[in-house]
């Protein structure tokens, strides 16, 4: 992990989301599913964001503006700078035979990078609205599922599922694919094991999601 | 002297950060293991944050067996923060500790029930249990924190840590339910800074013990202000969450602040905010025991 | 119900603002006139401000003779904030007051020496001196503010005002001397809000008295949050300094917040932040005596 | 007194000071020496500023960037809005026979407006540096005095002095011209009598400078 001030090189709307691209500086992009802590202008604490895209010299983040921190990130303009710390946590294990990416909403964020690394496996992406579904264009071989239908209704067996999305979706995926790799979320103050804020119950004990996750094997 | 605030750094997951400090302070260790409180455990507020971690820790036995030996390998002086629910808890842990630089007694966690004994009684019990330096960590949630400082000083505390967090609450914008799982948590960060400065200022006038100042330090200037109010050392808490390199930055900024003001070394500025107001009084005795 | 926080509005220099309130609360009146503390008396901090006004007021006699009659002409219910340095001071002033809506007992000014009696003793003395509603104003600078709430409730307080300011200090950037003439002052404003919410939340669970919530209210949402934590009324303090029209704006914003959430009238939201956490407990009794 | 959100129409450097011009909206300019409370972006409390210029439809303020609030005011750009409350306090009495304006540093601020109203009386303005003295160009018939010389060294007797400047200057003026009208300063939280923060000792008792001042008759 390393911390640098990086410069915004692009800010693009992707449906209701914003694709924030920053110059990579000396930071390592890490593995798909790992995340970075991004300084959110005017806020005390940084915000965790999965790496979405890793073109040469850049890091790309897909941000859903749901609160003050994410809104501040979406309001950044090209040329502005922000401190970025990472890569952090454990990403997806890539030793999979028949990968299937399963995402819900902003859970699509880590998949563009993951899809490239896994050579464009099929992806099943659920969204609330067609506008949100515009983000599916960032992922190769993606099949879009719109509410009221759920991704779990189309899950075929025999796949190595790599999933990211809201908690209820992950729980549903876990019920159908017990060996799935699931990328979880928890509010994080630090992202590197300092605060114990991100604790989740895991195998009977509480673990720090930023250290042991965010990607966990379904039990 | 620069430390981390207890509970704001894990030296094992961030050894580089810990090595940049003059001493590493552990998260509070309780007699039995604690999972901590149910999520959500952290939430941002106006110029601050609330936490309700609830002293998540592996408990005394596992701390002594597994954690402390690995901390020792870092080559940084170790302060162990000790907590409990009765004076006996504290004293037993103190007795079991050895080969560390100091013990910080967490007498003030807002996230767990306090011991039934007073802070002074706990310090007294620990004093008989160990010869290690005892640093009493006090809460600013007191009408007169200096009174507590005097009480723990009288029972043999070697230093004070000021301040712990103070109880706060935040509601979810949409549901109006408390955001933290425990509803109430401890407020830290810049919002706490004036409260911390006032506590350090008051206690520096009340007792002659060295003070570790903390509360909302973000910049070298904040550190300088705590020193000026009477702290001999400064601890970094919430700032570490946004910047694991804060210790290095803080030293550089403090050096810069001192130089820009022609003020010499950090030791030289301890208590200078008092000078004017102590003009007609006995000057502050700034000669203090070193703790590391 | 919307009030001003004591010491944050002079109805005689800003009658329009006072008339926009449901009741006007006076600056704290002490037995003898007080010039207040030496300047500087106010300084801005991170998301807050410190004041060390020190209860500047004309004293009981001149207040009763000159000020109160003019306040009465405004046509707004008057709450008189009463202060002192001994329980007898408070009781004497209470006895001299009549024809007002309520008495707020300032038991918690951080800028003057506290009375030697406890808050409960002062309430007890005042209870025997008057039949007017007594609202006890408490400090958040207590390890357990709910304990104080229980104590004053037991002595016959009719309501609580939560919270007063908490001690803080700020240094001058250049000189590193305290900016306030008294060094230490009371912290108010948004930085205090989480502390105020926690105090209201805790006291609403501890006692059945109506609570006037205050501390860092700037918007209708802040007011809504205090109600949700259990306040029956909201007082505006620091926000009045930047916006004398805050009462009107606040009502509009609160109405908007309520409507946007489909939540009915302000009375209906009192305590709703507790609902989840009280699911398996005795529900909060929200039927409370009206104070005005 | 009235409070409105006004729009910035001009921001100009005047030596080290900034002349901030805002649309007047429905606000009354008041009398010279009165002041307004200006919202300082990002700060909790507004900042008191004397009215400097009152061209039709506008209010002009001369701001010395000495701290966070005044720096934020100087950083405003045309088109931005800020809340302004006023006019406040008591200005200069205008029933004077042989007026002389005496100012020091940013104390020049109320004089351009005062000078117009009094039909350009002579003014004696002291400054620290020639750069600061650029502000003298805003005042008609101004004579500039540069440190180490002081305005009080040139004060002719028999004048009705109206003075504004740093406290030591006002004290020195008062010693020489006991009947002078002096515009004082004190930190103010509210500007309209609500906070008692601006108390000054006056004739043995403490008065609120925002209510009884800022212009006071020398005792
Ligand atoms: C490892 C990790 C990777 C992430 N990657 C992305 C990403 O690529 N793109 C993206 O847009 N978001 C991502 N998030 C979520 C993002 O960090 C949060 O949405 C953001 O921190 C919210 O900040 P805010 O100030 O906008 O809203 P806040 O005011 O902090 O929160 C608004 C609401 O969301 C809830 N909330 C906030 N954070 C979380 C969380 N982490 N989990 C559950 N609920 C939460 C709050 O309780 C509140 O109700 C990720 C989170 C984690 C832990
Ligand atoms: C009635 C009145 C009219 C004024 N008119 C003007 C004007 O036209 N143009 C202008 O530039 N300034 C004027 N001022 C002064 C201006 O209000 C302050 O400089 C400003 O509030 C400082 O805010 P800040 O955040 O920039 O600095 P702060 O951080 O608040 O202060 C910086 C330093 O200045 C000191 N200070 C701050 N305010 C005052 C004060 N009012 N008196 C004495 N010391 C103070 C502080 O103690 C501190 O040391 C006026 C003040 C008053 C009371
Ligand atoms: C997430 C978190 C966990 C904390 N855990 C502890 C703890 O275990 N023991 C303790 O004495 N203080 C604990 N504290 C309090 C800090 O040590 C410190 O006193 C407080 O945060 C004020 O400093 P700051 O504003 O720089 O964070 C914790 C604070 C935070 C934010
Ligand atoms: C300038 C100032 C003066 C105050 N004077 C009094 C007072 O005389 N009596 C009192 O009970 N509280 C006094 N207070 C405290 C307020 O009534 C209120 O409790 C506190 O400011 C918190 O509310 P706020 O954050 O909305 O300002 C004063 C506060 C300020 C800022
Ligand atoms: S986010 Fe701080 S420990 Fe995981
Ligand atoms: S500035 Fe508030 S009373 Fe004068």
């Amino acid at each position: 992990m390393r911390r640098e001030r990086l410069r915004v090189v692009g800010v693009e709307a992707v449906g209701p989301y914003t694709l924030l691209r920053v110059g990579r500086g000396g930071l390592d992009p890490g593995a798909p599913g790992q995340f970075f802590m991004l300084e959110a202008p005017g806020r005390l604490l940084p915000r965790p964001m999965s790496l979405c895209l890793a073109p040469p010299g850049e890091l790309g983040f897909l941000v859903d503006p749901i609160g003050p921190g994410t809104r501040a990130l979406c309001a950044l303009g090209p040329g502005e700078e922000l401190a970025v710390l990472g890569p952090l946590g454990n990403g997806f294990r890539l030793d999979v035979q028949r990968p299937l990416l399963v995402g819900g909403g902003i859970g699509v964020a880590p998949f563009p990078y993951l899809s490239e690394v896994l050579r464009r496996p099929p992806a099943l992406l659920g969204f609330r609205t067609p506008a949100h579904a515009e983000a599916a264009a960032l992922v190769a071989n993606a099949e879009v599922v719109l509410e009221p239908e759920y991704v779990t209704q189309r899950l075929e067996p025999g796949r190595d599922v790599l999933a990211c999305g809201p908690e209820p979706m992950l729980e549903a995926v876990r019920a159908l694919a017990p060996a799935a790799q699931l990328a979880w979320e928890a509010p994080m103050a630090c992202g590197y094991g300092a605060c114990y804020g991100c604790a989740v119950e895991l195998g009977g004990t509480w673990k720090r999601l930023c250290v042991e996750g965010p990607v966990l094997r379904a039990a | 002297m620069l430390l981390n605030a207890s509970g704001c750094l894990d030296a094992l997951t961030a050894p580089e950060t810990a090595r940049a400090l003059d001493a590493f302070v552990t998260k509070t260790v309780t007699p039995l293991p604690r999972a901590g409180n149910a999520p959500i455990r952290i939430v941002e507020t106006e110029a601050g944050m609330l936490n309700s971690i609830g002293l998540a820790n592996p408990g005394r036995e596992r701390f002594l067996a597994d954690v402390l030996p690995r901390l020792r390998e870092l080559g940084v002086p170790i302060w162990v923060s000790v907590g409990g629910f009765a004076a006996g808890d504290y004293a037993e842990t103190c007795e079991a500790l050895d080969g560390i630089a100091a013990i910080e007694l967490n007498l003030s966690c807002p996230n767990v029930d306090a011991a039934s004994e007073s802070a002074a009684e706990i310090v007294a019990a620990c004093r008989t249990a160990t010869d290690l330096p005892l640093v009493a960590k006090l809460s600013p949630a007191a009408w007169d924190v200096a009174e507590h400082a005097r009480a723990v000083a009288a029972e043999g505390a070697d230093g004070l840590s000021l301040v712990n967090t103070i109880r706060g609450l935040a509601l979810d914008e949409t549901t109006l339910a408390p955001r933290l799982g425990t509803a109430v948590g401890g407020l830290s960060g810049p919002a706490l800074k004036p409260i911390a400065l006032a506590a350090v200022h008051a206690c520096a006038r009340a007792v002659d013990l060295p003070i570790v100042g903390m509360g909302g330090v973000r910049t070298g200037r904040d550190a300088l202000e705590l020193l000026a109010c009477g702290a001999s050392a400064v601890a970094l808490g919430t700032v570490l969450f946004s910047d694991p390199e804060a210790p290095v930055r803080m030293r550089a900024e403090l050096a810069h602040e001192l130089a820009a003001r022609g003020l010499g070394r950090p030791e030289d500025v301890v208590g200078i905010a008092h000078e004017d107001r102590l003009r007609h009084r006995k000057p502050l005795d700034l000669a203090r025991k070193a703790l590391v």
Side-chain angles (χ1 to χ4, degrees), chain B residues 265-287:
Chain B
R265 294 158 312 159
E267 305 85 280
D268 301 332
V269 299
V270 174
I272 59 168
H274 291 266
E275 248 168 315
D276 243 325
R277 305 198 34 84
L278 295 174
R279 214 176 352 219
H280 308 293
R281 309 193 199 181
K282 185 170 160 294
L284 253 198
D285 180 1
L286 300 176

Side-chain angles (χ1 to χ4, degrees), chain B residues 46 141-143 166-169 173 176 178 181 194 218 261 273 277:
Chain B
E46 188 88 29
W143 179 256
I166 187 164
R167 282 197 190 91
L169 184 147
E173 178 160 359
L176 293 178
R218 244 178 334 181
R261 291 176 167 81
R277 305 198 34 84

Side-chain angles (χ1 to χ4, degrees), chain B residues 3-9 25-29 51 55 79-84 90 103-111 114 118-120 122-123 126 133-142 145 148-149 152-153 157-166 186-188 192 196 199-200 203 209-216 234-238 291:
Chain B
L3 298 84
N4 64 295
S6 173
C8 299
L9 185 67
V25 185
T26 70
K27 180 148 187 77
T28 298
V29 178
N51 87 79
L55 301 188
W79 290 26
V80 176
S81 168
V82 171
Y90 285 88
I103 293 173
E104 185 174 82
L105 298 174
N106 181 356
L107 305 169
S108 48
C109 179
N111 289 321
S118 72
I122 296 171
V123 171
C126 295
L134 286 177
V135 181
K137 184 163 181 181
L138 301 180
S139 168
V145 62
H148 296 273
V152 297
D158 300 295
L160 301 175
S161 275
L162 297 166
V163 293
N164 211 319
T165 56
I166 187 164
L187 179 68
S188 65
L192 192 62
V200 170
C203 292
L209 301 177
I211 295 171
V212 182
M214 71 194 84
V234 170
L236 306 179
T238 301
L291 284 172

Side-chain angles (χ1 to χ4, degrees), chain A residues 1 35 88 190-198 208 210-211, chain B residues 7-14 241:
Chain A
M1 103 188 172
F35 66 99
L88 298 163
C190 73
Y192 69 97
C195 73
Y196 280 82
C198 63
R208 287 168 293 184
C210 70
V211 173
Chain B
C8 299
L9 185 67
D10 179 351
L12 299 179
T13 63
F241 303 157

Side-chain angles (χ1 to χ4, degrees), chain B residues 1-291:
Chain B
M1 206 180 120
L2 200 63
L3 298 84
N4 64 295
S6 173
C8 299
L9 185 67
D10 179 351
L12 299 179
T13 63
E16 291 294 301
T17 304
R19 284 204 197 91
L21 299 165
D22 295 305
F24 169 73
V25 185
T26 70
K27 180 148 187 77
T28 298
V29 178
T30 53
L32 296 177
R34 289 178 56 87
N37 292 321
I40 292 178
R41 294 178 170 193
I42 45 172
V43 49
E44 208 182 63
T45 60
E46 188 88 29
M49 64 174 279
L50 302 175
N51 87 79
S52 62
I53 309 298
L55 301 188
N57 81 93
R60 179 167 60 212
E61 301 316 322
R62 257 190 54 214
F63 174 79
L64 292 171
D66 297 354
V67 182
L68 189 52
R70 286 193 287 154
L71 291 176
R72 285 213 177 91
E73 284 168 22
L74 290 169
V76 182
I78 306 291
W79 290 26
V80 176
S81 168
V82 171
F85 303 92
D89 288 353
Y90 285 88
E92 277 169 38
T93 307
C94 287
E95 200 157 8
L97 285 167
D98 205 5
I100 57 170
I103 293 173
E104 185 174 82
L105 298 174
N106 181 356
L107 305 169
S108 48
C109 179
N111 289 321
V112 298
D113 292 332
S116 53
E117 292 97 341
S118 72
E121 288 167 332
I122 296 171
V123 171
C126 295
R127 186 67 296 166
T128 63
T130 183
D131 289 329
L132 287 166
L134 286 177
V135 181
K137 184 163 181 181
L138 301 180
S139 168
W143 179 256
D144 182 6
V145 62
E147 191 182 303
H148 296 273
R150 275 187 219 99
V152 297
E155 298 298 342
D158 300 295
L160 301 175
S161 275
L162 297 166
V163 293
N164 211 319
T165 56
I166 187 164
R167 282 197 190 91
L169 184 147
L171 298 184
D172 187 272
E173 178 160 359
T174 315
T175 64
L176 293 178
R179 286 187 69 168
L180 292 176
T182 50
V184 172
L187 179 68
S188 65
L192 192 62
K193 191 183 113 176
I195 297 173
L197 290 177
V200 170
H201 190 267
C203 292
R205 297 170 80 84
V207 300
D208 198 31
L209 301 177
I211 295 171
V212 182
M214 71 194 84
V217 174
R218 244 178 334 181
T219 65
R221 164 133 172 250
D222 298 326
L224 176 61
E225 293 187 2
L226 280 168
L227 296 176
C229 284
S232 310
V234 170
L236 306 179
T238 301
V239 68
L240 289 169
F241 303 157
S242 58
D243 184 4
E245 288 155 17
V248 175
R249 175 172 62 79
M250 203 69 54
R251 286 188 207 275
E253 288 177 0
L254 180 58
H256 178 82
E257 294 279 350
L258 290 168
R261 291 176 167 81
L263 280 178
R265 294 158 312 159
E267 305 85 280
D268 301 332
V269 299
V270 174
I272 59 168
H274 291 266
E275 248 168 315
D276 243 325
R277 305 198 34 84
L278 295 174
R279 214 176 352 219
H280 308 293
R281 309 193 199 181
K282 185 170 160 294
L284 253 198
D285 180 1
L286 300 176
R288 304 189 142 160
K289 252 200 261 184
L291 284 172

